[in-house]
Amino acid sequence: MNSKKPRQSLHHSECNHLSRRDFLSMSAGLIASLPSMTDELTSLLENSADHVAPTRGETRGPARSFRLKSKRPSQTQQEGGRLFLTFDDGPLPCTGRILDQLAASGQTATFFVLGRNLSNPSLRQFAVRALKEGHDIGNHSFSHPYFSAISMNRAKQEIVSTYRLIDELVLEAEVDPNRQNRFFRFPYGVAGSRSNYLASQDVLGELNYKIAWWDLDTNDWRMELPWFPTRPSSVVASLNRARPGDVVLLHDRVKTSECLPAILKSLEWCKLASLPLSSYDSGTVAPSEKAVPDENILSSKSTNNLDADALAEELSQALFPQGHPADIVVDSAVVAPRVSRGSNLW
């Protein structure tokens, strides 16, 4: 009794007749298409969220720094009661509450915003409001990546795309452009290796940016850690160390918005008031016409792939927040010291 061969066997037989040349040609075509497929997939993944809410802040341990010295604000020495509150990672839904509390206390601050969040209309309105209420807007990159884990082309995109969004924001709010978009802060306080940092300086210099570090880190983002969170009372108590002329690091966080009234009250008891960073060292930071960035800066593509070292650093930061091994090993990063008097702006 004869029966036909199964369909699967016929396919197997056909495959046996595929020539070596045809096989190699087909394989080469698949390999050649992989880069474009990867770029497209990466683009889809990177643009899937309409805003960024980093899970940690800009806290890093001491490491080698290549920063220059700059004098303290002259008006601070004369008036004796001014410092500079800065809020990173916004705008986010909690930014509205932060603005409410600043307005109620008569304080002004600087918000280091993320470009992707500005692209969200529901969040963008908070940045417009901040400008209209006398606050400054600074650049904190587009998507808050580790600059030590991305290419130089990607770093340029992160800086310039947010620069342009802030400029559009300033036009919309109809405020003084000479006061805005003048400061950049590296995500996580890390600029990468010395060579990567020096390359970033070219772009930042072209855009007339000054790099903003900080004197006092409140560690406010740690209040939202899922394990062993910092107590709000500790964050408020950190303001007792504030001195006139300090740049204070805070974040757009729900917990921060909840304890901000106590923070502002603490400043009031210390007879300190906050000003925007455009008032910092006003004698040496003269308003100037912004340079127009080179269009070629945004022409190349790169992916944002965190390597094993970056992932290990992230884990170490969560497990050893008071001083983890990564802070000792990574001594080539450009970071802000925990306390550095007179050198928090370039």
Side-chain angles (χ1 to χ4, degrees), residues 93-164:
C94 61
T95 304
R97 184 173 180 180
I98 292 174
L99 290 172
D100 290 341
Q101 293 159 0
L102 290 173
S105 65
Q107 307 282 2
T108 49
T110 301
F111 290 85
F112 283 94
V113 299
L114 299 174
R116 183 175 291 179
N117 294 1
L118 286 183
S119 301
N120 183 332
S122 64
L123 299 177
R124 179 186 178 89
Q125 62 178 330
F126 296 122
V128 173
R129 176 188 166 187
L131 287 172
K132 291 183 176 181
E133 294 183 359
H135 306 286
D136 282 358
I137 297 293
N139 188 332
H140 197 37
S141 80
F142 186 83
S143 60
H144 208 275
Y146 277 98
F147 269 57
S148 58
I150 60 177
S151 70
M152 194 56 241
N153 286 333
R154 172 63 183 278
K156 291 177 180 179
Q157 292 175 2
E158 291 281 337
I159 296 169
V160 176
S161 58
T162 303
Y163 168 89
R164 291 174 173 168

Side-chain angles (χ1 to χ4, degrees), residues 144-194:
H144 208 275
Y146 277 98
F147 269 57
S148 58
I150 60 177
S151 70
M152 194 56 241
N153 286 333
R154 172 63 183 278
K156 291 177 180 179
Q157 292 175 2
E158 291 281 337
I159 296 169
V160 176
S161 58
T162 303
Y163 168 89
R164 291 174 173 168
L165 287 169
I166 295 175
D167 263 6
E168 294 173 3
L169 195 74
V170 171
L171 288 175
E172 179 182 342
E174 297 180 339
V175 296
D176 182 6
N178 291 321
R179 273 189 50 193
Q180 306 299 332
N181 209 4
R182 295 167 53 189
F183 301 97
F184 177 81
R185 178 172 284 167
F186 284 100
Y188 305 108
V190 178
S193 65
R194 181 185 178 92

